[in-house]
DNA sequence: TTGTAGGCGTTATCAG
DNA sequence: CTGATAACGCCTACAA
């Protein structure tokens, strides 16, 4: 099996020096046309490709962006990646993706691995476990070693760095207001436990909207779900006794399961109970009834995050540090699950 | 902003040689306990991490596996990645994911980028465009440069390399047989155009099952869909005139859209028309009715692919080349869309 | 016990 | 026009 061809080998074969080969391949005017052509032909023949590793070592940069997400099996994150890739590729960067699987340890390991040579900077959404433990030493460390990090979606308030988020609270208000505008008054929320930053913010938005509309806040209309696995039974229990006319679910799965439970109860969506979700994924789009949702514009988030990161990477060293937080607008996508 | 600490810097600070530092950090008995402790304390303090780039260059291997998939926004592929990551991490490998977005050019670029230093070998499912163009030079090239490739799912018959597939044809037969066993006789298939290898194989399986059961094959019961975008209208047109009692859809989206169209026609699933899909994704699971499908066991595919690759990577150089094709069993997941 | 030197593949600088 | 040399960060055989 052939091995990768190096400058050295080409040089030996052609009986010239390594630097001659290097220059010839770069079309340097220093080298005679004759040699240039000879070298290039030979390189082509042997399919020479410069070794990126060596280049990275030499240039002390890799021209690649590391993306670290909690779950790869998650439509929202994959759309974000799409946005990142688009911008990155335009600017000549490659994108490497790693998933933490919501595990703190894996997040640390992956970050350290990428940080020790594979990427120049990071776009990251923190793992559930990390939000719980509030241990951010790995992030601080990589930043203190000169590698910028852009946090997105599941961010950390205490960290000083670039951030791209949506206004979760506002999005939740939009959702809730939409329900109110279509005549609902008994609006329940199915949300996550509070340590998930986005869940908490969305809950707050819901509360704010109710208050602004002088609708009584009922604690028993708030369901906080810990684990995705048993969410259907949790929702079934929750809805068994309530007579709500609308539900705001902070993610797709909760919304879908709510529909399921309601249908089992013989209730019609949206006529008996309207439902609105958050995150515009495949489920919402293809479900029957298709779900009204708040879109997070994942692709745009990714694109903005990539821009922020590349700006930082390409900023002159002496530039004063300055961190931005970009807030992406959410939008309401009306479909069949609300009136 | 601090920079990354190198052996050199530590050596200078401590006024010893670089190799002393290197050895001390490895707890080499060559170095006095005293020096060792001093060095290690210092390294810890400055959070020294060996530079992977330098290590890769030196060892001529990166200990990372490159995974290249057609679409990251695709549940099946993400489950495969899960399997790869599991095995890889166990064996001390890291995983880098790139998506080709079904574009031939992006596949080439990404592969070349990873091949020129970032990964030791690849697990890959080819892009749609690549299957169409039948241009595999990039794959042949990386293999000829000594980097093994394991193909999975959308493979290339002509390529000589390790492969992990499911028996698409057999899976399709299982699906079709299930429909037949539950009393259906007028079974349509919604499939892809033929250049998608897995689509073609599944179509073949469907045909085989019908033949084996002496059921007439009707060309007008076969719908080949080119693009996902307009599949709903295509399916609607297709179903408008037919009176089938079952549909086998070669992927989730086709299955879901078939249900949608049927419901609009006022038909009941599974009572009027039974539906079975392929690929066990979130949609199938959460849809109402939940969809009976053929599971591809993505995680197992990923795990097996990773094993094959690592075996090859760690095989002694002189070992004779030998390529395996692993066929993963599919299984029928019965849910509510069939009788 | 510690240090020196060479090399992994590349490029830039400088000398011939 | 061409080539030698040093450097990027690390490791290791060998020398001191």
């Amino acid at each position: 099996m052939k091995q990768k061809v190096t400058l050295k080998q080409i040089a030996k074969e052609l009986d010239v020096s390594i630097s001659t080969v290097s220059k010839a391949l770069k079309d340097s005017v220093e080298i005679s046309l004759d040699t240039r052509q000879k070298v290039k032909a030979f390189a082509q023949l042997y399919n020479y490709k410069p070794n990126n590793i060596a280049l990275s070592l030499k240039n002390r940069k890799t021209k690649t962006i590391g993306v670290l997400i909690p779950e790869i099996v998650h439509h929202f994150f994959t759309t974000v990646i799409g946005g990142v890739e688009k911008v990155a590729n335009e600017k000549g960067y490659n994108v490497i993706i790693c998933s933490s699987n919501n595990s703190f340890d894996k997040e640390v390991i992956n970050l350290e691995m990428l940080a020790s040579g594979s990427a120049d900077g990071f776009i990251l959404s923190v793992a559930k476990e990390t939000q719980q433990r509030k241990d951010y030493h790995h992030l601080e460390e990589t930043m203190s070693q000169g590698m910028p990090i852009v946090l997105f979606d599941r961010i950390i308030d205490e960290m000083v760095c670039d951030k791209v988020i949506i206004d979760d609270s506002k999005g939740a208000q939009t959702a809730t207001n939409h329900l109110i505008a279509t005549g609902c008054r008994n609006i329940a929320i199915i949300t996550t436990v509070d340590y998930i930053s986005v869940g908490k913010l969305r809950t707050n938005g819901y509360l704010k909207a109710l208050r602004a509309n002088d609708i009584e806040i009922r604690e028993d209309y708030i369901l906080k779900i810990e684990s995705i696995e048993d969410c259907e039974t949790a929702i079934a229990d929750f809805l068994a006794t309530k007579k709500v006319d609308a539900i705001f679910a902070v993610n797709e799965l909760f919304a879908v399961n709510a529909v399921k439970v309601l249908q089992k109860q013989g209730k019609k969506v949206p006529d008996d109970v309207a439902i609105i979700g958050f995150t515009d994924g495949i489920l919402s789009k293809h479900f029957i009834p298709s779900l009204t949702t708040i879109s997070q514009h994942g692709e745009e988030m990714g694109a903005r995050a990539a821009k922020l990161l590349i700006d930082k990477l390409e900023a002159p060293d002496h530039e004063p540090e300055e961190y931005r937080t970009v807030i992406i607008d959410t939008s309401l996508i009306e479909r069949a699950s609300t009136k």
Side-chain angles (χ1 to χ4, degrees), chain A residues 90-128:
Chain A
E90 270 169 22
K91 307 235 180 185
Y93 283 78
N94 281 102
V95 177
I96 280 176
I97 301 146
C98 280
S99 89
S100 64
N101 255 315
N102 270 320
S103 137
F104 174 78
D105 289 337
K106 259 195 98 180
E107 185 174 287
V108 173
I109 290 174
N110 279 328
L111 185 61
E112 287 186 346
M113 165 234 165
L114 292 179
S116 57
S118 306
D120 297 334
F122 299 93
I123 293 176
L124 185 148
S125 187
V126 294
K128 232 184 249 185

Side-chain angles (χ1 to χ4, degrees), chain A residues 244-279:
Chain A
V244 300
D245 55 10
I247 297 172
F248 166 42
V250 302
N251 63 43
E252 258 189 349
L253 218 51
F254 292 172
V256 161
N257 276 291
V259 176
K260 217 171 277 184
V261 168
L262 289 169
Q263 294 198 345
K264 278 188 190 149
Q265 292 184 349
K267 299 215 175 120
K268 289 218 156 50
V269 176
D271 299 326
D272 299 330
V273 182
I275 293 202
I276 190 163
F278 214 106
T279 298

Side-chain angles (χ1 to χ4, degrees), chain A residues 325-337:
Chain A
T325 295
V326 173
I327 299 174
I328 306 282
D329 271 338
T330 54
S331 56
L332 178 71
I333 301 186
E334 281 190 66
R335 287 199 275 242
S337 69

Side-chain angles (χ1 to χ4, degrees), chain A residues 171-276:
Chain A
Q173 284 177 68
T174 307
T176 314
N177 284 334
H178 180 67
L179 294 172
I180 296 172
T182 54
C184 307
R185 286 297 173 274
N186 297 300
I187 304 172
I189 178 171
I190 304 178
T191 182
T192 67
V193 284
D194 277 344
Y195 65 76
I196 306 288
S197 60
V198 295
K200 188 171 182 182
L201 289 168
R202 291 172 197 170
T203 311
N204 289 344
Y206 157 83
L207 296 173
K208 219 184 255 180
L210 293 187
R211 259 183 238 116
N213 286 275
D214 282 325
I215 297 180
E216 184 200 1
I217 291 168
R218 297 181 47 167
E219 280 302 322
D220 62 327
Y221 276 10
I222 300 175
L223 173 61
K224 292 186 182 173
I225 289 183
E226 172 92 39
S227 94
I228 288 272
E229 276 69 48
D230 49 308
C231 79
E232 188 175 345
T233 50
I235 294 173
D237 291 348
F238 175 72
L239 291 178
T241 55
K242 319 262 182 315
K243 48 184 218 310
V244 300
D245 55 10
I247 297 172
F248 166 42
V250 302
N251 63 43
E252 258 189 349
L253 218 51
F254 292 172
V256 161
N257 276 291
V259 176
K260 217 171 277 184
V261 168
L262 289 169
Q263 294 198 345
K264 278 188 190 149
Q265 292 184 349
K267 299 215 175 120
K268 289 218 156 50
V269 176
D271 299 326
D272 299 330
V273 182
I275 293 202
I276 190 163

Side-chain angles (χ1 to χ4, degrees), chain A residues 43-224:
Chain A
Q44 178 115 47
L45 180 65
Y46 280 82
N47 190 31
Y48 169 80
K49 293 264 162 46
N51 181 328
N52 281 335
I53 291 281
L55 287 179
S56 299
L57 186 59
K58 180 124 197 51
N59 302 328
R60 280 118 131 269
K61 59 177 138 194
T62 61
K63 275 277 188 177
T64 101
I65 292 177
V67 177
L68 217 48
I69 53 174
E71 294 166 84
I72 198 147
V73 200
H74 200 311
H75 187 261
F76 166 66
F77 289 119
T78 55
T79 58
V80 174
I81 293 172
V84 173
E85 282 187 325
K86 217 171 128 200
V87 172
N89 292 343
E90 270 169 22
K91 307 235 180 185
Y93 283 78
N94 281 102
V95 177
I96 280 176
I97 301 146
C98 280
S99 89
S100 64
N101 255 315
N102 270 320
S103 137
F104 174 78
D105 289 337
K106 259 195 98 180
E107 185 174 287
V108 173
I109 290 174
N110 279 328
L111 185 61
E112 287 186 346
M113 165 234 165
L114 292 179
S116 57
S118 306
D120 297 334
F122 299 93
I123 293 176
L124 185 148
S125 187
V126 294
K128 232 184 249 185
E129 237 184 75
T130 309
Q131 291 201 315
Q132 234 175 123
R133 295 167 63 145
K134 291 175 182 293
D135 181 348
Y136 316 127
H137 76 273
H138 51 309
L139 304 178
E140 317 257 350
E141 243 159 46
T142 56
M143 287 199 59
S144 83
Q145 293 184 343
M147 283 164 287
I149 294 180
V150 178
L151 252 28
F152 76 95
D153 196 55
R154 299 198 193 155
I155 63 161
I156 298 160
D157 288 328
E158 303 92 295
M159 287 272 305
V160 180
C161 64
D162 287 328
K163 293 167 191 172
V164 179
I165 47 172
I166 53 163
D167 191 333
D168 281 285
S169 170
K170 196 168 142 205
Q173 284 177 68
T174 307
T176 314
N177 284 334
H178 180 67
L179 294 172
I180 296 172
T182 54
C184 307
R185 286 297 173 274
N186 297 300
I187 304 172
I189 178 171
I190 304 178
T191 182
T192 67
V193 284
D194 277 344
Y195 65 76
I196 306 288
S197 60
V198 295
K200 188 171 182 182
L201 289 168
R202 291 172 197 170
T203 311
N204 289 344
Y206 157 83
L207 296 173
K208 219 184 255 180
L210 293 187
R211 259 183 238 116
N213 286 275
D214 282 325
I215 297 180
E216 184 200 1
I217 291 168
R218 297 181 47 167
E219 280 302 322
D220 62 327
Y221 276 10
I222 300 175
L223 173 61
K224 292 186 182 173

